Amino acid sequence: MKNEIIIGISGASGIQYGIRLLEAIKQMKNFETHLVISGSAKKLIEIETDLSLGDVETLGDNVYDDHDFTAPIASGSHRSRGMIIAPCSMKTLASIASGMSDTLISRAADCCLKEKRPLILMARETPLNLIHVENMKKAMEAGASILPACPAFYPKPKTLDDIIDFMAGRALDLLGIEHNLYKRWRE
């Protein structure tokens, strides 16, 4: 199995989670990332960060347009360690839960599900309505892990970066990837 990870950044507040994942994985050196940023996420990069779209794209080893269905990650035959969508908007969650595959992000997620590869959805919405919960249930039943962007406070975060690192670290934990982004319980 290749050490390739697919990172999807969809249009929900919390763009920093996806960016931090890319930064952390890039430092690991033995992993290759495939990055897809939705159109809405591109706007949120401008709103929520001081980075340009180009700055974020340089963090990915392979970058694809969200409508490029010729990308290797649009096929189940392309092997990877799995996919993390951070943040995962409710629109993206609904697309995945219903099997729509209408964007590259949702198609790559569908490939992970059908090939039994890890799919981590860092859901970013509050409060949740019943439709959101039902879509989460459907995605989980299909094999996805739902990782709500709910940081813990036992590591005693001192900065916003500490909170972002905790969530990025939890996503990497679900892929079985060693890191030192946060202090674990009782460490």
Side-chain angles (χ1 to χ4, degrees), residues 94-114:
S95 180
I96 294 165
S98 65
M100 292 260 310
S101 296
D102 59 342
T103 65
L104 182 56
I105 290 175
S106 59
R107 173 60 188 162
D110 186 57
C111 288
C112 285
L113 291 175
K114 73 185 188 74

Side-chain angles (χ1 to χ4, degrees), residues 151-153 155-166:
F153 292 91
K156 297 184 181 168
K158 293 178 180 36
T159 67
L160 184 56
D161 287 341
D162 292 341
I163 292 170
I164 294 167
D165 282 353
F166 178 83

Side-chain angles (χ1 to χ4, degrees), residues 60-129:
D61 297 305
N62 305 281
V63 181
Y64 310 101
D65 182 87
D66 198 22
H67 297 351
D68 181 3
F69 289 95
T70 66
I73 60 173
S75 172
S77 67
H78 182 86
R79 296 176 68 183
S80 72
R81 294 274 302 256
M83 180 175 190
I84 303 169
I85 303 177
C88 182
S89 68
M90 291 301 106
K91 177 183 178 185
T92 300
L93 172 67
S95 180
I96 294 165
S98 65
M100 292 260 310
S101 296
D102 59 342
T103 65
L104 182 56
I105 290 175
S106 59
R107 173 60 188 162
D110 186 57
C111 288
C112 285
L113 291 175
K114 73 185 188 74
E115 300 295 329
K116 307 293 188 224
R117 295 187 189 118
L119 172 62
I120 294 96
L121 307 177
M122 193 181 292
R124 250 300 299 128
E125 186 62 75
T126 191
L128 298 171
N129 68 41

